[in-house]
Amino acid sequence: MLGETILLALREIRRNVLRSSLTILGIVIGVAAVITMVTVGEGATLHVATQIRSLGSNLLNIRPGQQPRGPGGARQIAKSFELKDVEAIERDVSGIAALAPVSSRGILAINADLNWSTIVTGTDNAYFKVRDWPLAAGRVFTDSELRSGRMACILGATVKQKLFGAQDPLDIPIRLGALSCQVIGVLAAKGQTTFGSDQDDLVVVPLRALQRRIAGNQYVDTVFVSVRDGVSTKKVQSDIELLLRERRRLGPRAEADFHVMDMQQIVSTVSGTTQTLTALLGAVAAVSLLVGGIGIMNIMLVSVTERTREIGIRLAVGAMENEVLLQFLVEAVTLSLIGGIAGILVGLGAAAGGAALLAVPFVFNYWIVIVAFLFSGAVGVIFGYFPARKAAQLDPIEALRHE
């Protein structure tokens, strides 16, 4: 009986192709919108998390001054760190895989008649491990270069492109301001951060070289700490905070004049925000599914009115009420499921296009596809039941009199 009922439903859909297509369109738009929004949103979440993790693995970022409050907030000026602070952290805090002191200054890099305003970063070889940043060519600093502060430099991919193009820069001297510096390596490209800054726009030199010949002081602006796998970053963060409070002579109630940022916390916060926005957009898109369901109810009510005489004949020749109800319910669900399948195809195509346009990964989530399909079927059942019940409860005599 069910097979015959489905055939009757398909026959009625074919009899009114244009009307059925317009009814299905509401479901198609709803399902496609939900799948597109959720898929692109999940791709954006993954993209943001990947970019933040590209700053380094299990990374803690220690800076002087209080942490900025809110977007664009200014950081409080505070006493900078010194190398003895860095040595104390490395010596007294357990669970550290690598630690890199960093100081940076803006500078003009020059090669022959080409120049580029960039950032010169003074650090040591641990920086490349902490930031998980391999070299594309050349070598890292030697111990003698680090101790003596010799002006050897490693170029970021952007600086290399701006100053040398396709030319090999290794062993070629460039100028950083008025200072000559020999290129010994090139960093692998990392691209932009989530916040829009170009990670590859830098020149790395030994920390002592920057302190003595460029900055003119012994200060350390930032300390990057990579925590060993299996060790809690929160525990290491807490130990570092206690040590620095002691070294900077801060009382128990005094506000810290430094801050330690856990990049994992930033990943969780940003990912949570994007997931919330994705859920919100998905919920807004789901409203169009309800609109499509109302469209199905409207069309089915019209269909019941148009086919009142046909319903009366079926009831008069012995059809049961539940058979008539099932016929119209199957018709509504068929319309909805056809729209659901078409919506899934359109949604996945739109999501792939949107992901490519926004330069985020395409993340196929089969759960959202299944949920969208089942939801489209549920819409057909819910919004098709009332018209089907109305058709099943028609009085055969009154229905036969209907013109």
Side-chain angles (χ1 to χ4, degrees), residues 39-40 43 349-363:
T39 303
V40 173
L357 185 64
L358 297 174
V360 299
F362 174 76
V363 180

Side-chain angles (χ1 to χ4, degrees), residues 268-279:
S268 299
T269 300
V270 175
S271 297
T273 301
T274 54
Q275 286 170 355
T276 300
L277 290 174
T278 298

Side-chain angles (χ1 to χ4, degrees), residues 31 35 336-341 344 367-379:
V31 172
I35 290 177
S336 187
L337 291 180
I338 291 173
I341 294 171
I344 289 170
W367 277 112
I368 192 61
V369 173
I370 293 172
V371 169
F373 180 73
L374 293 177
F375 193 63
S376 67
V379 164

Side-chain angles (χ1 to χ4, degrees), residues 27 289-301 329 332-333 336 375-388:
I27 301 296
L289 260 178
L290 297 179
V291 174
I294 294 171
I296 287 178
M297 177 184 283
N298 182 49
I299 292 302
M300 293 307 297
L301 286 172
L329 193 58
V333 172
S336 187
F375 193 63
S376 67
V379 164
V381 172
I382 294 169
F383 289 95
Y385 178 76
F386 177 72

